[in-house]
Amino acid sequence: MRAFLTALLLLTAGSVAWAQPMTATAPATSPAAEDEPAVDEIVPEALLRAARESFVIVEFWYKKDLSDAAKADHKDWRTRRLYSDFVDQKRPEERAGLVVDDGLVLVADSAIEDRFLEKIVVRDVRGRRHEATRERLLTDAPGVLLRLAPPKKRREALHPLAFVPVEDRGVNTLLLSARLFQSDDQWRIDAASLPAAVPFAPGKAKNVHFGDGSRNDPHDADPELIADETGRPVGVDLSGEFDMAQKLCAWKGADLLAPSASLDWKLVRAAEDKARAALIDCVHQVVFQFGKAGHEYTTYALAVSPTELLIPEGITRQSAAQIRRIFLKEPPAAQRRADFVGAYKGFDAVLLRLREGKLPAHVELGRDDPQRMKPFWAATCRERFGRKYVDLGTARLVGKQRGYAGAYSWRASPELPSGAFLVNFQGQLVGLYVPQRPEDEATRQYLRKDEPAQRIYPISELRDALARPGEHMDPRIVVKTASESRRRAWFGVEYSRINRDLAEAFKVSKPTQDGQVGFVVSAVYAGSPAEKVGIRVGDILLRLKSETMAYPIELLPARARDEEYDSRRRSAAYAESESEEWLGEPEPTWRNRKNTLTEALDAVGIGKEVSIWYVRPDGTDAAAAKELKYRIEQAPVDQDSAGKWQNRSLGLTVKDMTYEVRHGLNLRDSDAGVVVAKVEDGSPMQVARIFANEVLTRLDDAPLTSAARMRELVAAARQAGKDKVRLTVLRLGKTRFADLPVAAYDPRDDEGLDEGEE
Amino acid sequence: MTRWVARMLLPTALLLGGAGCAEPMIEVAKNKVYPALVFVKPIRETFEAGERQRAEVFGSGVIISADGLVVTNHHVAEKAIEVNCVLGDREQVPATVVGLDPETDLALLKLNLPPGHPPLTVARFGDSDAVEPGQPVLALGSPFGFTRSISQGIISNTKRYIGFTTQYQYNLWLQTDAAINPGNSGGPLVNVRGEVIGINTLGTWAEGVGFAIPSNVVRDVVSRLLDAAGRSGRDAWPVKVQRAYVGLQLQALKDFNTNSFTDSRAGVLVQSVDQDSPAEQAGVRDGDILLAVAADGGPGVLTREARVDGTYVEDLPAIRRMLADLPTDRPAKFLLARRNGEPSDAVTVASAELTAGTVFPSELVGGRRIFELTVAPITRGKFEGEDLDCKRWNLTLKEITKYSNPRLHFLQPGGGVFVQGVREPGNASFAGLQPNDIILKIGETPVRTLADARKAYETLVGNDKLPEKKVLITIRRGAFLDWIMLNWTTDYLKEE
């Protein structure tokens, strides 16, 4: 039976009153009561007296860091909290402290940088105030030692705890703890006994653990006074859990106060400045340019070798595919080009390699992982005063947490900013704090499931990833040519959305969950995977799943609502064009191949085997879902990825004829033609009354087999001195002829899709 | 009653002499044509917006025979279940529709005069080929139902090509600035001598731009309709104009609309050849130059008279007429020119090439090879399909014909039935059916003809024992199938 009780000590500035020790403990009639010490014996007055005399309240008065030009939204949440909770409110942050030695107060390491600190004031039980400064940083427990200004009067000096060594009695060891906490407007002290715990593991459990789990907030590191069963102080716990061998953290009084157990605060600050200066030299602003339009994204990368740069951020397949140029934004404007090596499959980070030359400096990789309770810096990059800058925040590993696939990883306190580099006090890289990437990350993103959990990747896990990136990169995240980046996966069907009524009519209410799940196949493309596995018009596709995915992707009509809207609009346009005698831009009779199904397959990934569940209505209520497996294939080129020729002087954009256009226009594979994708206003194409979505089948007498062929033919005609070419225009089964003046043709205006990466 | 170009009835406008002396001209017109002007008031049954509707419409007409033949527009008289006409003496007389020609938008009515009725005043037709731009004209008719109105203007253009491709393709138009408004349709356009030179048919949203069918076209169509009506019994009225079909779309050699100029100084460019048409079966290909056409009357038929000239768009209606007039009981000879090497198909190159080659030297046709094909024209089918009112479904269906619905016909080769309209609000529109959806199946019944659709509809709606008033409709929308569940539990027509 667990003995537990609380004594309350009211601390106010004016009066001090003892409260009666609470007796809400085991009833005297408890059968075990005889074997246990009486309540009065468990909480000796000595402990409470010591607590009352040695606990202090530490006021941290913060200020705005006027030297920092960082915008509010660039500030990390810690800084924002300082400003909003304390500076704005004109009040200090109050934490519990313990006087552990003459003029020394132990307080939790809140990792607040000096630049935000106005002053520290220590308030004792009598309400006396003492100025304090940070003096030492504990290396084996999350604490800081404050130095109090010498008291003006001797009697005002605070009484330090007199630690005695703790006696290890194995599982019979009984320790007590006392803590100072705030409730309403009062500070109180409570005390509890800390029963010993032994590991649930084979072998002799010699190292006894203690911890009552009373700290709800893992970042609450306010000190608790630990005493032996007689109430004599033996140490201070800063982490909520400790062990007799001090493997979890240092807590024994003598050990905490030993000079080797802490670092001089000023030296730490000096080391920090030095490390920052060195890191800044290793950090580079990197600019990504995407797509033809050259959309830019600027971020920071850390040089991890003379030629390699690590970016602690993920990148999607779609974005990576469209990378056209990566360069280092260096002052002066000398831009150095870098290549995309890849994105790690296990975690969100990207590796770049310098195309030429070497980087001026790179970070050293630490030899050892960060250790529990040992302080390190979390480094993040930003711009400050127009220059790159590295923020360093102290943090420690305080415990472990469980993540993807049940693996345990370190938890840090305070919480690390996302994308932080972990740097030890020698300035070496010892870890990375980034989101994990589960195997089916892409489908998870597609399903918009919860944010992936972030975790610390210690250097032992990173070293191989940095040394042999090839084996750790996601093979699907690659830079592609513009047209290749638009290629998509396919099953090879068009579909219509199911609903409750249709489900009833097809007698598939059960497998379609009353018409809430399912796409009714309305066309099967020739030569497609769907055709090969025997899918037919009228089949209803329900869901798909690959082996690595935790959940299947349900094919929900609600998700495809936009597609429906498109087809409605299209049909309405037919209605107009039918009575329209004049030529105008016809609505396409083919469908855009970007739809819910192809996007889902894209998310799973080409080459992966997926199961697709479908139901084939058979007119009875017995039709049940069947499973088929197929390896996701890349679709043939469609209109979005088709070879293209654009010429501004002619005002035309034409694309190769692709399978879905052929299907929509009842054309055979052998029929020549290019699809007019766009006609510029006022251009020769418009004067010739040629419209987008029409098909050009011939140029003079030559069949137009591709957009590139059309460019050749126009160039040849121009070369031959012709001033016009005759185009055969196909529109919904009817042809007509139009002359395109090629005198205006200027090859310098040619633009194709496939300029690719420079 | 109006489409993109608002069709209208025009009152004839008479202008006398030059400026400043208009009154004598109006006097002439009034005396000669005004008495022959008829206010036409058909009760029409239409299938629009998803239901059968009956409405009285207003139009104009002109008397062309003393016993009561009246010319008006097809779009005035079409779908009339009853026609009443008000004559110049304000006498109201019922009329029967004798013939309808949707392709020229002309209709012929017969007034059912009481026995012993005195002969009517007849308007005299002038020669529309002799009309000159700038000539003063009057338009007579009943704009917006304001009967016996006269407006005045001049001929703006005598050979206006408007570019219709499905209907109205057989004639050019007289353009006038005399005011033409809805209700003018079917009325006469009159010259200074009091002769009818056109039937006012199309208005526009713009002022001072209206169009009339030239009198010579009217004369031709009327005589064909009369001929057909005479041959058939009264029971077969309204009769139609028979035309031949070969399946060619034509393009002018000098097409200023698209700035496209074909390097031939003779013939007309074959723009497109309809699928499975006589021309396609005979081997005509788009891009060919059609040089001459004649019914096969033996050797040497491809004479100078058989030549076609399609240099300008204005020439196209005459060529279309020529093709439509080919006899359908025997094959016709087509003389064509094609670029060397282009046709890989075996093409009949008759000896006519040699004889014709002298008529058409190769350089005249841009160095193309000249050859002859035999084409067997067939009778052009009905222009517009029948309608079906599916009243309880708030839906009207219509047959697809390749002449009036070429796009739907392309999407559903062989034809079928499509949604002509849906009533708002109504069961069909609520279910998601839309105009131009092609109906493939109603429940389990395949729909290939309007009769199939009618039978399926009547069976379903007539069955009181159905547990649920709904049916699955399989449609083609664009190039793709779709399925719609139509529920007719609600009777929207009883709602109001």
Side-chain angles (χ1 to χ4, degrees):
Chain A
M1 176 172 175
R2 181 188 162 105
F4 178 69
L5 66 121
T6 303
L8 291 182
L9 172 62
L10 301 185
L11 282 178
T12 58
S15 67
V16 179
W18 283 99
Q20 286 297 327
M22 287 187 66
T23 53
T25 56
T29 54
S30 162
E34 292 172 22
D35 306 331
E36 296 189 3
V39 165
D40 291 343
E41 293 168 36
I42 294 176
V43 187
E45 207 179 308
L47 170 57
L48 292 172
R49 185 176 298 121
R52 178 170 159 270
E53 289 300 320
S54 302
F55 267 118
V56 290
I57 295 158
V58 182
E59 300 176 354
F60 291 93
W61 290 88
Y62 300 122
K63 64 177 182 186
K64 190 172 187 319
D65 176 15
L66 293 172
S67 72
D68 196 330
K71 288 181 196 159
D73 56 351
H74 288 171
K75 289 192 197 97
D76 60 66
W77 64 269
R78 274 190 288 177
T79 315
R80 276 204 298 272
R81 191 182 70 95
L82 287 189
Y83 286 0
S84 63
D85 289 4
F86 303 113
V87 179
D88 290 354
Q89 300 297 322
K90 293 190 175 174
R91 67 182 182 94
E93 180 176 17
E94 294 182 337
R95 307 291 296 259
L98 266 176
V99 184
V100 291
D101 205 346
D102 275 336
L104 271 187
V105 170
L106 176 60
V107 68
D109 177 13
S110 61
I112 303 298
E113 294 165 64
D114 285 349
R115 61 197 171 106
F116 297 112
L117 209 51
E118 169 96 43
K119 63 179 176 185
I120 302 173
V121 175
V122 170
R123 209 167 77 216
D124 65 23
V125 69
R126 292 168 190 87
R128 292 192 298 243
R129 302 167 70 82
H130 314 261
E131 293 274 326
T133 53
R134 295 196 271 201
E135 183 161 277
R136 296 190 75 83
L137 180 70
L138 296 189
T139 54
D140 296 314
V144 171
L145 291 170
L146 305 178
R147 171 63 64 190
L148 297 175
K152 284 171 193 142
K153 295 172 191 162
R154 194 174 180 78
R155 61 180 176 80
E156 286 180 4
L158 293 168
H159 299 294
L161 291 162
F163 291 113
V164 298
V166 63
E167 186 190 348
D168 186 353
R169 287 194 279 139
V171 292
N172 292 319
T173 311
L174 178 65
L175 295 180
L176 306 174
S177 82
R179 65 175 178 139
L180 175 62
F181 69 103
Q182 193 171 22
S183 178
D184 288 343
D185 58 346
Q186 290 181 332
W187 285 88
R188 304 180 191 177
I189 289 173
D190 70 357
S193 65
L194 298 176
V198 292
F200 177 60
K204 239 177 169 184
K206 277 189 179 166
N207 184 16
V208 181
H209 287 240
F210 298 90
D212 57 5
S214 63
R215 292 182 199 243
N216 295 324
D217 178 358
H219 303 295
D220 166 17
D222 281 346
E224 291 190 9
L225 175 58
I226 307 299
D228 63 16
E229 60 193 284
T230 64
R232 292 176 301 171
V234 293
V236 182
D237 168 39
L238 287 150
S239 76
E241 200 178 7
F242 57 95
D243 58 331
M244 196 55 84
Q246 297 196 109
K247 281 184 177 163
L248 295 174
C249 65
W251 61 276
K252 293 174 184 170
D255 294 335
L256 288 174
L257 295 174
S260 60
S262 56
L263 297 168
D264 183 279
W265 187 263
K266 290 194 183 72
L267 292 182
V268 171
R269 293 310 315 268
E272 185 184 315
D273 289 343
K274 193 178 151 206
R276 176 182 289 115
L279 282 171
I280 288 174
D281 287 340
C282 302
V283 165
H284 298 270
Q285 246 189 320
V286 176
V287 181
F288 285 75
Q289 283 180 344
F290 296 99
K292 208 170 78 171
H295 295 293
E296 282 195 359
Y297 176 71
T298 305
T299 186
Y300 292 87
L302 180 69
V304 290
S305 83
T307 56
E308 285 163 325
L309 294 141
L310 185 67
I311 298 174
E313 286 174 58
I315 188 167
T316 64
R317 261 189 278 168
Q318 293 79 359
S319 297
Q322 294 189 49
I323 294 172
R324 292 293 159 261
R325 195 180 157 93
I326 304 170
F327 59 89
L328 273 50
K329 198 169 159 189
E330 301 286 280
Q335 293 180 352
R336 308 176 73 181
R337 295 288 301 278
D339 291 316
F340 183 79
V341 178
Y344 287 97
K345 55 186 163 195
F347 50 90
D348 269 348
V350 163
L351 193 69
L352 306 179
R353 188 169 291 131
L354 204 63
R355 193 168 276 190
E356 281 173 2
K358 286 196 188 316
L359 296 162
H362 65 90
V363 72
E364 248 181 77
L365 304 188
R367 210 181 39 153
D368 302 315
D369 285 351
Q371 289 172 345
R372 186 188 275 267
M373 294 303 161
K374 300 272 187 202
F376 60 85
W377 291 306
T380 50
C381 313
R382 66 173 166 114
E383 192 175 84
R384 189 171 187 249
F385 312 147
R387 314 189 60 166
K388 58 194 184 183
Y389 184 75
V390 174
D391 280 318
L392 293 178
T394 314
R396 302 165 198 255
L397 307 182
V398 295
K400 292 209 168 182
Q401 62 192 3
R402 201 160 195 199
Y404 179 66
Y408 284 94
S409 62
W410 282 110
R411 184 158 47 80
S413 178
E415 200 175 310
L416 306 181
S418 178
F421 296 105
L422 276 55
V423 178
N424 67 17
F425 280 8
Q426 286 76 53
Q428 297 165 326
L429 183 68
V430 290
L432 203 55
Y433 183 65
V434 286
Q436 310 176 54
R437 293 188 72 236
E439 286 165 272
D440 59 340
E441 175 61 25
T443 47
R444 197 154 90 146
Q445 280 180 17
Y446 173 81
L447 291 169
R448 296 182 196 90
K449 290 279 180 200
D450 48 357
E451 287 286 301
Q454 309 200 56
R455 79 161 173 97
I456 289 169
Y457 290 84
I459 190 69
S460 57
E461 285 187 54
L462 291 180
R463 196 175 281 113
D464 195 56
L466 291 172
R468 292 183 297 158
E471 294 167 33
H472 296 269
M473 295 302 177
D474 187 329
R476 294 178 296 172
I477 302 183
V478 289
V479 181
K480 293 176 181 172
T481 60
S483 62
E484 201 62 25
S485 75
R486 290 177 173 83
R487 293 292 290 276
R488 51 174 59 98
W490 79 331
F491 185 48
V493 297
E494 296 288 356
Y495 54 79
S496 153
R497 306 188 307 153
I498 201 160
N499 55 41
R500 177 181 285 266
D501 284 341
L502 289 184
E504 254 175 51
F506 292 136
K507 302 201 168 163
V508 291
S509 293
K510 192 177 168 195
T512 63
Q513 296 169 33
D514 293 318
Q516 292 184 85
V517 179
F519 292 163
V520 191
V521 173
S522 62
V524 179
Y525 287 107
S528 66
E531 190 190 57
K532 285 177 205 154
V533 298
I535 286 291
R536 304 199 298 240
V537 168
D539 286 350
I540 300 160
L541 308 181
L542 302 170
R543 60 186 63 87
L544 61 92
K545 181 181 175 308
S546 81
E547 238 172 46
T548 59
M549 288 160 57
Y551 308 99
I553 295 178
E554 306 274 347
L555 299 174
L556 302 175
R559 192 188 271 275
R561 198 175 294 134
D562 291 351
E563 299 158 32
E564 179 82 358
Y565 170 72
D566 274 356
S567 77
R568 273 173 198 280
R569 204 175 40 180
R570 191 165 300 151
S571 172
Y574 279 133
E576 283 168 7
S577 64
E578 189 64 23
S579 63
E580 174 64 78
E581 287 282 354
W582 319 113
L583 284 183
E585 182 178 314
E587 285 297 316
T589 54
W590 55 93
R591 282 200 190 153
N592 189 303
R593 293 297 290 138
K594 176 182 169 175
N595 59 38
T596 305
L597 181 59
T598 57
E599 287 192 322
L601 292 172
D602 269 326
V604 179
I606 290 163
K608 269 207 175 177
E609 189 174 75
V610 282
S611 292
I612 293 186
W613 284 268
Y614 71 100
V615 58
R616 176 166 296 166
D618 57 6
T620 73
D621 288 318
K626 282 175 271 192
E627 179 184 351
L628 66 86
K629 281 182 190 294
Y630 100 104
R631 199 166 289 285
I632 299 177
E633 288 180 19
Q634 187 175 51
V637 170
D638 60 31
Q639 278 302 283
D640 286 348
S641 55
K644 183 169 94 164
W645 173 44
Q646 182 171 13
N647 184 280
R648 268 166 224 215
S649 42
L650 293 177
L652 64 72
T653 306
V654 292
K655 291 181 171 182
D656 293 349
M657 178 93 80
T658 47
Y659 72 97
E660 83 278 28
V661 178
R662 289 182 194 282
H663 183 94
L665 289 174
N666 297 331
L667 294 174
R668 292 162 301 182
D669 286 351
S670 55
D671 290 334
V674 294
V675 182
V676 179
K678 197 178 174 201
V679 173
E680 309 290 341
D681 285 349
S683 68
M685 280 286 278
Q686 197 195 35
V687 170
R689 301 287 188 276
I690 296 170
F691 298 93
N693 300 329
E694 292 186 326
V695 170
L696 307 177
T697 58
R698 282 186 310 232
L699 186 146
D700 290 334
D701 291 330
L704 288 171
T705 48
S706 70
R709 176 71 179 145
M710 183 169 176
R711 169 162 55 180
E712 277 170 31
L713 289 169
V714 168
R718 182 86 187 87
Q719 203 95 53
K722 286 195 190 175
D723 56 359
K724 61 171 191 177
V725 294
R726 167 142 298 191
L727 299 174
T728 305
V729 186
L730 178 68
R731 180 193 179 96
L732 283 180
K734 299 216 174 195
T735 55
R736 65 174 198 280
F737 298 94
D739 288 348
L740 180 67
V742 291
Y745 173 62
D746 185 343
R748 284 172 303 180
D749 288 339
D750 279 347
E751 280 181 54
L753 193 66
D754 257 334
E755 66 273 17
E757 210 244 357
E758 293 169 58
Chain B
M1 287 190 64
T2 52
R3 274 199 171 182
W4 175 86
V5 176
R7 303 171 190 176
M8 347 194 8
L9 296 174
L10 276 183
T12 37
L14 290 175
L15 278 187
L16 276 188
C21 52
E23 272 183 37
M25 165 187 160
I26 293 169
E27 205 61 29
V28 172
K30 194 177 159 184
N31 291 340
K32 292 197 172 176
V33 186
Y34 209 52
L37 181 64
V38 176
F39 179 34
V40 185
K41 297 192 299 178
I43 303 293
R44 172 189 295 177
E45 189 177 83
T46 59
F47 295 76
E48 278 170 21
E51 59 185 333
R52 182 168 57 189
Q53 295 173 336
R54 284 187 181 188
E56 188 182 37
V57 294
F58 300 124
S60 306
V62 60
I63 299 170
I64 58 166
S65 77
D67 62 348
L69 283 173
V70 173
V71 168
T72 184
N73 276 134
H74 169 264
H75 76 265
V76 172
E78 69 174 334
K79 296 173 180 150
I81 52 171
E82 183 188 327
V83 182
N84 279 302
C85 294
V86 182
L87 309 185
D89 57 3
R90 305 204 174 179
E91 182 184 2
Q92 177 157 316
V93 184
T96 307
V97 181
V98 178
L100 289 169
D101 187 22
E103 303 208 56
T104 55
D105 201 358
L106 286 170
L108 190 60
L109 310 178
K110 177 75 165 64
L111 298 171
N112 299 322
L113 297 168
H117 193 280
L120 302 168
T121 310
V122 175
R124 198 158 63 84
F125 271 53
D127 177 5
S128 52
D129 289 345
V131 175
E132 295 286 333
Q135 278 185 2
V137 284
L138 296 183
L140 279 63
S142 312
F144 301 108
F146 300 120
T147 59
R148 313 199 70 71
S149 306
I150 304 178
S151 65
Q152 168 188 331
I154 59 172
I155 292 288
S156 309
N157 189 294
T158 57
K159 292 184 165 50
R160 176 64 65 213
Y161 179 79
I162 304 185
F164 293 109
T165 53
T166 52
Q167 54 181 348
Y168 307 161
Q169 54 167 321
Y170 295 113
N171 58 275
L172 295 170
W173 299 80
L174 293 175
Q175 183 186 330
T176 179
D177 68 347
I180 295 184
N181 286 300
N184 278 123
S185 287
L189 187 70
V190 178
N191 68 9
V192 290
R193 289 186 293 281
E195 297 165 339
V196 176
I197 55 165
I199 295 297
N200 300 318
T201 303
L202 300 172
T204 63
W205 302 120
E207 277 184 40
V209 182
F211 302 97
I213 303 167
S215 56
N216 292 359
V217 174
V218 179
R219 221 190 314 252
D220 177 52
V221 170
V222 165
S223 73
R224 285 165 190 250
L225 288 174
L226 277 177
D227 190 37
R231 276 188 278 106
S232 71
R234 220 185 144 97
D235 296 343
W237 291 5
V239 295
K240 298 197 182 300
V241 175
Q242 292 296 325
R243 291 190 174 85
Y245 171 71
V246 294
L248 292 184
Q249 315 295 326
L250 306 175
Q251 186 170 343
L253 297 175
K254 293 186 193 302
D255 182 355
F256 295 102
N257 181 42
T258 65
N259 271 351
S260 296
F261 306 106
T262 304
D263 58 344
S264 174
R265 282 178 286 142
V268 67
L269 179 61
V270 175
Q271 183 182 62
S272 184
V273 184
D274 294 354
Q275 254 186 343
D276 302 324
S277 64
E280 189 192 50
Q281 283 157 7
V284 183
R285 297 286 173 265
D286 56 71
D288 287 349
I289 306 287
L290 177 63
L291 295 169
V293 175
D296 191 355
V301 293
L302 292 172
T303 57
R304 195 167 282 273
E305 289 69 38
R307 287 170 67 163
V308 297
D309 174 15
T311 309
Y312 305 107
V313 288
E314 289 80 6
D315 301 323
L316 299 180
I319 304 172
R320 291 179 190 140
R321 227 161 35 231
M322 189 172 175
L323 294 172
D325 286 346
L326 287 171
T328 52
D329 54 352
R330 59 207 146 106
K333 281 202 157 71
F334 279 43
L335 192 68
L336 298 141
R338 189 177 294 180
R339 245 181 233 302
N340 279 334
E342 163 59 14
S344 55
D345 323 50
V347 172
T348 316
V349 181
S351 57
E353 188 191 359
L354 300 175
T355 53
T358 59
V359 183
F360 296 103
S362 182
E363 58 269 24
L364 200 65
V365 290
R368 290 174 177 80
R369 190 157 56 95
I370 295 172
F371 59 99
E372 187 192 290
L373 291 179
T374 301
V375 179
I378 57 174
T379 303
R380 201 169 150 93
K382 64 183 169 188
F383 176 75
E384 204 179 337
E386 299 292 319
D387 301 282
L388 170 65
D389 181 22
C390 303
K391 208 181 182 84
R392 280 294 278 110
W393 293 350
N394 312 111
L395 168 74
T396 51
L397 301 177
K398 198 179 177 89
E399 275 176 310
I400 297 170
T401 77
K402 63 177 147 188
Y403 309 107
S404 62
N405 319 100
R407 291 168 183 82
L408 292 176
H409 193 264
F410 165 77
L411 293 169
Q412 184 72 0
V417 173
F418 71 102
V419 176
Q420 188 273 338
V422 291
R423 182 184 186 272
E424 297 277 1
N427 291 312
S429 77
F430 185 81
L433 280 170
Q434 298 166 6
N436 292 322
D437 284 346
I438 297 167
I439 306 289
L440 301 179
K441 272 164 96 177
I442 296 177
E444 291 303 310
T445 313
V447 174
R448 288 184 200 90
T449 64
L450 204 64
D452 295 340
R454 179 178 287 116
K455 196 173 162 203
Y457 168 73
E458 283 169 359
T459 307
L460 284 165
V461 171
N463 184 351
D464 291 334
K465 297 198 177 82
L466 280 183
E468 284 183 302
K469 290 179 176 177
K470 57 187 187 183
V471 65
L472 180 70
I473 307 221
T474 309
I475 61 166
R476 178 184 297 284
R477 179 175 292 172
F480 297 96
L481 292 190
D482 211 340
W483 295 268
I484 301 261
M485 180 62 82
L486 178 71
N487 182 324
W488 70 94
T489 308
T490 308
D491 189 341
Y492 283 88
L493 298 179
K494 287 186 181 160
E495 210 172 43
E496 286 95 44

